[in-house]
Amino acid sequence: MHPCLRTSVSVAGTFFQVYAKPNNRADSRLGITVNKRFVPQATARNFCKRLARETFRTHRAALSGVDLVVRARSVVLSASSAQARAEILDLMQRAQRLCCDRADTGQPR
């Protein structure tokens, strides 16, 4: 298991779950995992990854100071892609806030 998944903050939505861990750097990094069990078709897995990458790329400056891992929880259809994009951004921002709040107060997990 990746260290970011073990010792991190996590927030979940309908389509995705986001884990965040402070990285003590000026920039942020992204990891994406899409399990075949939850998203069986390769094209759907690629679509989920593309949505996560695109959302991260457009908001990277605002998400500084954390490492993020996005995990797909269900299939995203093209009809619900706008909703999924909004969810990814919201989850990334919430995870970053929680992560930074816990780092400031010194709380474990």
Side-chain angles (χ1 to χ4, degrees), residues 2-15:
H2 191 275
C4 192
L5 298 178
R6 271 193 304 246
T7 60
S8 63
V9 173
S10 74
V11 291
T14 305
F15 299 110

Side-chain angles (χ1 to χ4, degrees), residues 16 18 28-34 42-61 63 68-71 84-85 88-89 92:
F16 296 95
V18 175
S28 57
R29 297 181 293 185
L30 176 70
I32 303 169
T33 178
V34 183
T43 55
R45 288 194 302 274
N46 291 336
F47 185 67
C48 288
K49 293 178 206 176
R50 195 167 42 250
L51 281 175
R53 269 190 243 110
E54 180 183 319
T55 303
F56 178 75
R57 210 175 297 131
T58 56
H59 297 90
R60 187 173 194 164
L63 298 168
L68 299 166
V69 175
V70 176
R71 185 177 71 90
R85 267 193 196 96
I88 293 171
L89 179 59
M92 285 180 176

Side-chain angles (χ1 to χ4, degrees), residues 63-82:
L63 298 168
S64 62
V66 293
D67 290 337
L68 299 166
V69 175
V70 176
R71 185 177 71 90
R73 296 181 67 190
S74 67
V75 176
V76 177
L77 303 174
S78 59
S80 59
S81 65

